[in-house]
């Protein structure tokens, strides 16, 4: 398992937090997701055999947000 914190740009409300959380949880191999609106970041614990930093960032971008 690996844990990564990804800076996320463009979140403005709790709906955005839900969108990003849902997108990340939809990635195969993701175990836990914690998204902070205040800190503009997502902390993700994932199985490195199934997911990667790139696939996580792609999921966030596909949901309509930017990663720093
Ligand atoms: Cu929002």
């Amino acid at each position: 398992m690996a844990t990564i914190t990804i800076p996320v740009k463009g979140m403005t409300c709790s709906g955005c937090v839900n969108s990003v959380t849902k997108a990340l949880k939809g990635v195969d191999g993701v175990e836990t997701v914690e998204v902070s609106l205040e800190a503009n970041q997502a902390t993700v614990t994932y199985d490195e055999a199934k997911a990667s930093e790139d696939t996580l960032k792609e999921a966030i971008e596909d949901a309509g947000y930017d990663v720093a």
Side-chain angles (χ1 to χ4, degrees), residues 1-27:
M1 285 296 165
T3 302
I4 186 179
T5 298
I6 305 170
V8 182
K9 286 184 190 169
M11 295 190 295
T12 55
C13 69
S14 59
C16 297
V17 171
N18 287 340
S19 298
V20 172
T21 301
K22 207 175 159 188
L24 288 168
K25 284 191 170 167
V27 177

Side-chain angles (χ1 to χ4, degrees), residues 20-35:
V20 172
T21 301
K22 207 175 159 188
L24 288 168
K25 284 191 170 167
V27 177
D28 191 34
V30 168
E31 287 290 317
T32 63
V33 178
E34 197 172 325
V35 179

Side-chain angles (χ1 to χ4, degrees), residues 15 20 24 29 32 37 39 43 51-52 54-55:
V20 172
L24 288 168
T32 63
L37 181 62
T43 302
S52 69
D54 284 345
T55 56

